[in-house]
Amino acid sequence: MKISDYFLKWVTTYKQGQVSEVTFLKYLNTHSHVVQAFGDNTLNAVNREMYQLVFTKLGKDHAQRTLDTFNKHLRAMFDEAIDEGLLDKNPTRKVQLRGKPIVERRKALGAEEWKQLLASINVTSVDGMMIYLAATTGMRYAEVAGLTREDIDFNRATIKITRTWNYKYGGRFIPTKNSSSIRTITIDDQTLENLKAFIKIKIDNDYGLLFWGKNNRILHSSEINKTLTSILERLNINRISFHGLRHTHASVMLFYGMPVLSVSRRLGHSNIQTTQNVYLHMLKEMELRDTKMINNIFAEI
């Protein structure tokens, strides 16, 4: 049996229905790469040398995390083949994985850049209002995409997040990332007014989604990132991704003195340690600022 055929058989037998839909699609993605990388090679024809050569080639065009995922899936498949008595050894043993070098990108805007961005967004457009809302709430893209009118309480100035929109696979409502992601967050007066105005011109759709595009779907992440990049370029501000708006929001809130616990809950982190780890650099800056403040207070006594 070809390795690609065995992999598909293994995935459909042991993974389909046992893992989440998103995880299953990742296995199918690995399968497509197995087809391309190993061709017609049979399962027992793949030795350590061939396996290493395949991954050395893959490493030229794929990130380290992607290689790790491919190898993890294949290692488990070969283990199953050994258990079935089809193979004696696992060719993935001691493979060296070296992915494509990752270019470090800027993760967040500074407080003044954040203000500039907010002042420059066209909040009457779908992509503009999505960007604005992410910058003022720290919501994830799937959370913003999954908002409906019923999720916004205009009297209490809050947004309730109970589900997300599966914009990557199929386009439908799915559960939040984890139980901590189910939360209610407060919004400022300007964001509230912008949402009120936007709702009056939103595009109707069967799902009741706020940010339904003119092309009869939710915007792809690449499309929203293109809009964000365009705005930042006009402002002469170095690029960040849409997810960087989440980091920006958290960093700005911490900079202006919001307690770490409040920021953690606002972001929907599972615990405060996650927030502290992600924004350690900002917390250190705040600690330095507090130290200077204490010194100035006692210097006046």
Side-chain angles (χ1 to χ4, degrees), residues 18-284:
Q18 304 301 315
V19 297
S20 70
E21 182 180 354
V22 172
T23 299
F24 182 67
L25 288 171
K26 290 180 180 178
Y27 278 105
L28 293 183
N29 180 53
T30 298
H31 174 256
S32 66
H33 283 87
V34 170
V35 171
Q36 294 178 15
F38 290 94
D40 292 331
N41 282 292
T42 59
L43 185 68
N44 58 5
V46 180
N47 55 30
R48 282 181 59 189
E49 182 180 5
M50 179 192 296
Y51 192 83
Q52 180 65 68
L53 289 173
V54 164
F55 270 81
T56 299
K57 185 176 180 180
L58 286 172
K60 295 178 180 179
D61 301 309
H62 295 82
Q64 184 67 42
R65 185 169 63 178
T66 304
L67 293 187
D68 291 339
T69 299
F70 291 164
N71 182 56
K72 176 183 176 182
H73 291 170
L74 284 164
R75 184 174 64 244
M77 180 212 70
F78 279 116
D79 281 340
E80 183 63 33
I82 292 172
D83 289 344
E84 291 182 6
L86 301 176
L87 296 175
D88 295 325
K89 297 179 181 180
N90 192 323
T92 69
R93 182 172 176 268
K94 293 185 178 181
V95 64
Q96 300 296 312
L97 304 177
R98 295 186 179 88
K100 186 178 180 180
I102 298 175
V103 178
E104 287 294 329
R105 293 180 178 176
R106 194 180 187 205
K107 293 184 178 180
L109 303 178
E112 292 304 315
E113 293 173 324
W114 174 74
K115 292 177 184 178
Q116 283 183 266
L117 173 64
L118 294 181
S120 304
I121 297 173
N122 175 15
V123 293
T124 63
S125 66
V126 172
D127 46 1
M129 191 61 215
M130 291 181 78
I131 290 170
Y132 189 94
L133 194 60
T136 57
T137 64
M139 293 170 63
R140 301 177 178 93
Y141 185 69
E143 293 172 344
V144 176
L147 288 178
T148 65
R149 168 64 183 81
E150 289 68 34
D151 296 320
I152 303 172
D153 189 326
F154 288 103
N155 294 322
R156 293 185 173 86
T158 60
I159 295 177
K160 190 171 184 178
I161 302 166
T162 59
R163 56 189 177 179
T164 65
W165 184 254
N166 186 0
Y167 65 93
K168 288 184 178 179
Y169 307 109
R172 58 187 175 81
F173 289 112
I174 56 174
T176 55
K177 184 177 181 179
N178 51 52
S179 59
S180 301
S181 296
I182 299 174
R183 62 199 189 279
T184 300
I185 57 178
T186 57
I187 52 178
D188 64 280
D189 293 340
Q190 187 59 59
T191 299
L192 191 67
E193 291 303 313
N194 288 340
L195 278 171
K196 285 180 180 178
F198 181 82
I199 283 177
K200 293 178 182 178
I201 59 173
K202 79 176 184 67
I203 301 173
D204 291 331
N205 57 90
D206 294 339
Y207 302 100
L209 294 170
L210 290 184
F211 301 112
W212 196 252
K214 293 180 180 179
N215 46 10
N216 203 34
R217 60 172 171 79
I218 288 290
L219 292 172
H220 297 309
S221 57
S222 59
E223 295 172 307
I224 202 80
N225 274 307
K226 184 177 180 181
T227 299
L228 176 58
T229 297
S230 178
I231 297 172
L232 293 174
E233 284 179 348
R234 289 201 304 269
L235 296 172
N236 198 27
I237 296 174
N238 290 335
R239 177 188 180 275
I240 63 166
S241 66
F242 186 91
H243 192 72
L245 296 173
R246 178 171 166 85
H247 292 310
T248 296
H249 180 75
S251 296
V252 170
M253 294 303 100
L254 289 169
F255 177 78
Y256 282 111
M258 180 180 282
V260 180
L261 180 59
S262 297
V263 173
S264 181
R265 289 174 175 170
R266 189 170 177 83
L267 295 178
H269 284 163
S270 56
N271 57 68
I272 194 173
Q273 189 63 48
T274 300
T275 313
Q276 291 173 329
N277 291 340
V278 174
Y279 302 104
L280 180 61
H281 66 288
M282 180 57 66
L283 294 173
K284 287 183 176 179

